[in-house]
Amino acid sequence: MRYVVAYDIEEDRVRTRIAAVLASYGTRVQKSVFECNLEADALERLTRLLSEELSAAPGGGDIRIYRLCADCYGASVGLGELEEGAGGEPWILV
């Protein structure tokens, strides 16, 4: 299943660690947005790791994980100079 993970974290150290975790599971498509193809067990591991990292953030922060169905992915629009996403096609949510 395809997921988009977006985060908003003020603490540099924690933001860097969150990005590193996400980079091991997917592809960065914007500075604070990753696209991931995950099976259920990998999603569970990723969610646990992100939760652990987020709990270390002194100023807090937010992480959102959006599941994309095939129809939603197919209907998405790409604008600008896009990197290839985890699905093999360049795109961005607008």
Side-chain angles (χ1 to χ4, degrees), residues 27-76:
T27 303
R28 179 175 275 185
V29 293
Q30 289 191 351
K31 288 186 179 183
S32 61
V33 180
F34 282 77
E35 179 184 329
C36 307
N37 280 325
L38 304 170
E39 299 295 328
D41 59 333
L43 175 62
E44 185 177 318
R45 283 192 309 274
L46 175 60
T47 302
R48 181 177 39 80
L49 288 170
L50 292 175
S51 180
E52 290 171 3
E53 292 296 340
L54 191 59
S55 68
D62 299 301
I63 300 172
R64 301 285 273 177
I65 301 173
Y66 300 94
R67 185 180 75 163
L68 294 180
C69 67
D71 288 341
C72 294
Y73 177 78
S76 64

